[in-house]
Amino acid sequence: MIIRIVKMTFHPNEVVNFLKIFNSSKEYIRNMEGCTHLELLNDINTSNIFFTYSHWLTENDLNNYRKSELFKSVWGKTKILFAAKAEAWSVKSLDLKR
């Protein structure tokens, strides 16, 4: 499983616009092949910093999403709202549960 974390800092006056974009596309993203989890997190101290936290069965599934028309559309609308360049990490869990 791949965990994808994306940090996004928005212009404060664009937060409402971002939330509209996220809320209108989240179910489509969740229904992409290989996506098993998607949530939006908000920094507790800086209200215009958000993180998407998603789980993907394989790196190929994540890459297929990133090449999809859905991603291009959502990312195109989202990135113009940024106050700073987005940061992204693909990680795996080392906390193996029984």
Side-chain angles (χ1 to χ4, degrees), residues 11-58:
H11 293 287
N13 61 328
E14 296 290 6
V15 168
V16 170
N17 290 326
F18 164 67
L19 292 173
K20 287 178 186 176
I21 294 166
F22 181 82
N23 287 323
S24 68
S25 58
K26 64 186 177 185
E27 292 307 319
Y28 296 106
I29 298 168
R30 287 180 177 138
N31 287 314
M32 288 293 296
E33 185 172 342
C35 182
T36 62
H37 180 82
L38 171 67
E39 67 183 290
L40 182 63
L41 308 171
N42 190 204
D43 187 275
I44 61 172
N45 296 310
T46 310
S47 62
N48 63 316
I49 295 178
F50 290 83
F51 299 83
T52 54
Y53 181 80
S54 58
H55 295 181
W56 298 85
L57 292 176
T58 67

Side-chain angles (χ1 to χ4, degrees), residues 54-82:
S54 58
H55 295 181
W56 298 85
L57 292 176
T58 67
E59 188 173 12
N60 192 50
D61 291 327
L62 171 60
N63 289 334
N64 286 339
Y65 164 64
R66 293 181 65 217
K67 294 175 190 171
S68 73
E69 290 303 315
L70 174 61
F71 176 82
K72 290 174 188 172
S73 173
V74 171
W75 193 247
K77 294 174 194 172
T78 301
K79 69 181 180 179
I80 62 173
L81 309 176
F82 290 159

